[in-house]
Amino acid sequence: MCKMKNIRQIGKFLKNICYIIKIVFQAAPGITTKMIICNIFLGILVSFNVYIWKYFVDTAVISLESGKIGAPAFWLISLAVCTGVVNLLTKLSTYYREIGQEYMNCKVANIIMGKIDELNMEHFDNPKVYDAVEKVSNESVARCISIIVMLVTLLRYLTTFIGIIIVIISLSNTIAALMCITMIPIFYVSISIALRQYNIYSERVQNVRLADYLKEISLKYENIKELKIYNAIIFLKNKIVCIYEKYIAEDKKYKKRFLYELTGTDILQYIFSTIIKIYTVFKVITEKGTIGDLTMYISALDSLENSIRTILDSVASLYSDNLYIDNLVELDNMRSGMEDTGKRELSSDFKTIEFQNVSFKYPYTDTYVLKDLSIKFENGKTYALVGSNGSGKTTFIKLLMRLYDPQKGEILIDGVSIKEYSLKSIYKNIGVIFQDFIKYPLTARENIGIGNVEEMNKLKNIEKAAKVSGADDFIEKLKNGYDTLLQKEWDNGSELSIGQWQKIAISRSVLRNSGILILDEPSSALDPKSEYEMFEKMKMLMRDKMSIMITHRFSNVRIVDQIFVMQEGKVVEFGSHEDLMLKKGIYYNLYSLQADYYK
Ligand code: ADP
């Protein structure tokens, strides 16, 4: 059983190594090849060095009697050249490694962003995905490079090992075998430490992520006022420090233990290697070897010890790095989860959207948040979803955009299941402004243009979209107009009010030019005049299309054609404002409550 597990682990280890070699070659083929060639040469030159020393010592002894210094001088110069080349190649190898690291940074960022794009929402309901991304962002670049450096080092020292072992076998097979055996304990200890270190790291990753996130929150301009007023910075600081201090205390304990284990095996190994060296000296003398032979064997033993130690260290290090790479492989292998088998392309002129008995619960939860929901939307009409917090309005929108699939029931567009349309065409044809829309640290033009990247460079269209929401007024007054960087945390950045940000977000969705516009609390921060003007413009813009508004402000709701009142995942009332007021039900009560408040 245990054997099987070990074999499986070794298999996985080798698979991970192959994966890394593949992505490093994809990221920087030229640099990687040069780094490998450099290291093979370095390995060969080290075993050459041992021979050159022997010939230098032997010719020097002869020249002491003959007085001819030609031969030792030749070997001395060869030695200098060899050392010079070794130095040069070492520096070159470091250079290639550093540049390679930059390429890998870029490659890993590519993998992460690609995956965020590819994975469906379900993955982001799972904290483990965030942990994996955190591990990949924190560790993978360094670990990929480390794996390549270790593989190259392995190659270099294996070359040295073969060269040197040939020298030692010429003296004694037993000495060569003994040298290899004495290295096993240090190898075992290194692997065991690597495994324990990885387990510690994995246990901590979620808390470290939390500490990083708390730091990030504290650094946001929009958060600072609240943090200061509530005196929350000290509280957050203590929380972060507490996490770090706990780990520092643990590390002191662990690292001390690792130090004892490594020092113990080092001492043991030193004793063994000294005994082997004494035996070698004895053997060379009894076999009447030259001083050159003695120098060569002793320096060969040193080189052999060094190369075996480095080979085993590299394997241990490769093993440790491979544990961290697991996350990258895992992330890269994650598949969307939602089948995008849709062959039809949704165009912007669809006529109806229908929810038929739809029930839905979020992944990793047991409660249905939408229950047997049936709603139909038609082209050219405006709709509103109203209801208390948590009644399922935003969830409804997420299903409409096919960010999730319902567990029961069906969603139809023009009578055809939403699953038959390609995801790309669905996303393209739905314009939506969420409550928590993104405030990008980009220019005003880019913040709007991101609604339709193809239009990013068409300033005229961006200005048109800004006019609809009324954003053009304040954008034109900014330092660099549409090219002003928004958000104050960056050089030359301008800060906008939340109402102004909402106008930017609205322009973003206008630029999309989609068949349906969904507004999730779009105007909560707008003043009444701006809100009224914006709705008028939006109605004009969407007159042949569909628009759905989620709102708490009943003053806006009056202007739509049909209102759906939601409660605990169900539609409990629907109709026009007038119908619902006559009905004197839930809507009537909620509306009257707000109207009284305004009065
Ligand atoms: P509304 O928009 O009406 O305020 P939502 O649709 O956002 O309500 O939420 C409906 C219910 O679903 C709430 O009880 C909320 O806690 C739950 N919910 C929302 N998002 C998630 C999620 N990603 N995972 C689990 N539950 C969620």
Side-chain angles (χ1 to χ4, degrees):
M1 198 67 184
C2 197
K3 226 177 202 172
M4 274 309 287
K5 198 177 159 205
N6 287 345
I7 292 174
R8 232 179 291 132
Q9 264 188 344
I10 293 172
K12 197 169 165 201
F13 169 58
L14 294 176
K15 236 162 114 183
N16 283 358
I17 299 290
C18 292
Y19 169 81
I20 295 304
I21 294 175
K22 187 182 92 191
I23 67 162
V24 171
F25 266 100
Q26 277 172 357
I31 296 279
T32 314
T33 313
K34 284 175 197 154
M35 188 161 79
I36 291 174
I37 293 172
C38 246
N39 279 277
I40 293 177
F41 273 110
L42 275 168
I44 295 171
L45 285 175
V46 171
S47 29
F48 264 146
N49 240 353
V50 173
Y51 278 106
I52 298 174
W53 263 111
K54 169 193 154 56
Y55 289 117
F56 168 68
V57 173
D58 281 348
T59 49
V61 170
I62 295 167
S63 75
L64 279 178
E65 286 165 16
S66 65
K68 289 182 186 158
I69 58 158
F74 169 76
W75 289 114
L76 200 62
I77 291 165
S78 306
L79 205 61
V81 171
C82 194
T83 312
V85 175
V86 166
N87 278 339
L88 182 73
L89 288 178
T90 310
K91 286 195 175 67
L92 262 180
S93 174
T94 311
Y95 163 78
Y96 291 136
R97 192 188 65 215
E98 284 171 2
I99 299 287
Q101 185 144 353
E102 285 169 33
Y103 275 108
M104 274 310 289
N105 260 324
C106 187
K107 177 80 187 171
V108 171
N110 243 313
I111 293 179
I112 295 180
M113 295 304 272
K115 280 294 147 184
I116 294 175
D117 183 39
E118 183 191 332
L119 296 180
N120 69 345
M121 281 297 289
E122 207 167 295
H123 286 93
F124 298 97
D125 285 302
N126 181 0
K128 292 211 162 31
V129 172
Y130 295 91
D131 286 351
V133 172
E134 172 84 0
K135 285 182 186 172
V136 169
S137 328
N138 282 355
E139 288 285 341
S140 290
V141 173
R143 297 285 170 174
C144 288
I145 287 296
S146 168
I147 286 184
I148 289 300
V149 171
M150 283 307 146
L151 281 176
V152 166
T153 311
L154 201 64
L155 201 66
R156 166 176 166 184
Y157 282 89
L158 272 175
T159 324
T160 306
F161 174 79
I162 294 167
I164 299 286
I165 209 90
I166 293 170
V167 178
I168 298 193
I169 287 177
S170 72
L171 175 69
S172 154
N173 289 342
T174 327
I175 292 177
L178 278 177
M179 274 308 278
C180 296
I181 292 167
T182 56
M183 293 293 168
I184 291 174
I186 203 145
F187 178 59
Y188 176 78
V189 171
S190 303
I191 291 274
S192 144
I193 289 179
L195 208 69
R196 278 175 285 163
Q197 259 173 338
Y198 178 73
N199 289 338
I200 296 168
Y201 170 77
S202 289
E203 273 169 28
R204 290 177 182 180
V205 75
Q206 203 161 98
N207 272 339
V208 172
R209 184 155 65 82
L210 178 68
D212 287 346
Y213 192 57
L214 292 178
K215 272 190 287 181
E216 210 177 289
I217 287 177
S218 313
L219 258 175
K220 284 216 170 300
Y221 178 78
E222 68 223 40
N223 296 345
I224 290 188
K225 55 184 181 314
E226 183 176 325
L227 289 166
K228 281 203 179 292
I229 294 295
Y230 283 101
N231 214 356
I233 298 178
I234 304 293
F235 173 77
L236 294 184
K237 185 191 85 179
N238 290 343
K239 217 168 162 59
I240 295 169
V241 168
C242 205
I243 293 174
Y244 286 139
E245 279 180 349
K246 179 171 168 252
Y247 294 148
I248 292 172
E250 280 179 11
D251 272 351
K252 278 186 188 161
K253 219 166 68 192
Y254 288 130
K255 302 234 176 222
K256 219 181 262 172
R257 196 176 317 143
F258 295 161
L259 197 73
Y260 291 147
E261 288 175 17
L262 281 175
T263 315
T265 43
D266 262 353
I267 294 173
L268 204 69
Q269 201 263 319
Y270 178 75
I271 296 170
F272 282 143
S273 96
T274 310
I275 294 172
I276 293 172
K277 272 184 199 157
I278 294 170
Y279 174 65
T280 308
V281 173
F282 176 74
K283 198 159 168 64
V284 172
I285 293 171
T286 50
E287 287 181 8
K288 307 218 165 5
T290 62
I291 301 177
D293 287 334
L294 193 59
T295 323
M296 177 176 79
Y297 287 125
I298 294 295
S299 117
L301 280 178
D302 278 338
S303 288
L304 188 68
E305 184 182 339
N306 186 30
S307 55
I308 298 176
R309 183 183 277 261
T310 314
I311 289 168
L312 297 183
D313 271 356
S314 309
V315 174
S317 184
L318 275 175
Y319 185 73
S320 141
D321 289 333
N322 132 82
L323 295 171
Y324 295 82
I325 288 307
D326 262 0
N327 298 295
L328 181 62
V329 180
E330 200 184 307
L331 188 75
D332 207 8
N333 285 336
M334 270 184 203
R335 288 293 161 252
S336 157
M338 183 178 281
E339 279 180 52
D340 186 14
T341 47
K343 299 271 184 298
R344 291 169 188 254
E345 290 300 305
L346 183 66
S347 61
S348 63
D349 55 0
F350 55 88
K351 303 280 180 287
T352 59
I353 295 183
E354 192 174 358
F355 274 52
Q356 279 184 349
N357 309 98
V358 167
S359 295
F360 173 74
K361 59 182 179 187
Y362 279 98
Y364 314 103
T365 64
D366 298 323
T367 334
Y368 277 93
V369 293
L370 294 183
K371 297 162 196 156
D372 202 21
L373 197 76
S374 297
I375 305 187
K376 190 169 179 181
F377 300 103
E378 285 169 5
N379 220 358
K381 286 195 179 167
T382 49
Y383 298 89
L385 289 185
V386 298
S388 50
N389 288 333
S391 56
K393 303 182 296 294
T394 305
T395 307
F396 165 82
I397 300 300
K398 288 184 194 162
L399 294 198
L400 199 158
M401 300 177 68
R402 218 192 155 203
L403 292 175
Y404 297 93
D405 279 333
Q407 283 84 12
K408 293 180 196 160
E410 225 178 346
I411 301 168
L412 308 168
I413 304 182
D414 281 347
V416 176
S417 166
I418 197 169
K419 291 182 186 165
E420 290 194 25
Y421 295 102
S422 76
L423 277 177
K424 221 171 158 188
S425 72
I426 295 174
Y427 295 158
K428 190 165 186 290
N429 277 294
I430 295 182
V432 63
I433 312 164
F434 287 110
Q435 278 166 304
D436 48 358
F437 58 84
I438 305 180
K439 298 170 190 157
Y440 296 98
L442 302 172
T443 61
R445 173 214 292 254
E446 289 165 328
N447 258 291
I448 297 175
I450 214 156
N452 187 355
V453 180
E454 287 150 25
E455 303 273 311
M456 188 74 88
N457 293 322
K458 298 179 187 156
L459 188 58
K460 277 226 150 33
N461 294 352
I462 289 182
E463 284 172 346
K464 238 165 74 193
K467 265 200 179 82
V468 174
S469 69
D472 58 330
D473 274 354
F474 68 85
I475 294 178
E476 273 155 19
K477 287 183 198 135
L478 294 173
K479 270 180 276 185
N480 299 313
Y482 280 83
D483 290 320
T484 311
L485 193 73
L486 305 184
Q487 284 204 0
K488 226 185 169 115
E489 292 107 311
W490 312 96
D491 278 349
N492 294 322
S494 289
E495 192 59 34
L496 302 183
S497 72
I498 183 72
Q500 289 173 326
W501 268 116
Q502 271 188 342
K503 288 182 180 176
I504 294 271
I506 290 163
S507 317
R508 193 182 292 162
S509 68
V510 169
L511 191 72
R512 202 157 181 81
N513 198 19
S514 48
I516 179 168
L517 185 61
I518 302 166
L519 314 162
D520 186 353
E521 288 288 347
S523 54
S524 53
L526 298 189
D527 56 73
K529 185 171 169 277
S530 308
E531 189 182 44
Y532 175 78
E533 286 170 4
M534 188 203 83
F535 274 116
E536 286 302 309
K537 283 182 196 158
M538 294 287 254
K539 262 188 106 170
M540 277 286 292
L541 192 82
M542 299 302 289
R543 64 181 177 277
D544 319 318
K545 300 180 179 175
M546 217 180 271
S547 58
I548 306 175
M549 185 203 311
I550 297 181
T551 185
H552 285 105
R553 285 213 208 168
F554 284 71
S555 54
N556 303 327
V557 172
R558 294 169 54 158
I559 63 167
V560 306
D561 299 316
Q562 188 137 34
I563 301 161
F564 293 95
V565 184
M566 287 189 71
Q567 218 172 38
E568 293 180 6
K570 289 184 175 163
V571 172
V572 285
E573 280 178 11
F574 68 93
S576 67
H577 171 73
E578 289 72 25
D579 292 344
L580 292 174
M581 287 305 279
L582 281 176
K583 211 172 176 184
K584 295 216 164 135
I586 300 170
Y587 179 83
Y588 171 83
N589 288 335
L590 291 171
Y591 185 85
S592 308
L593 209 74
Q594 281 199 8
D596 282 348
Y597 178 73
Y598 283 128
K599 272 183 218 154

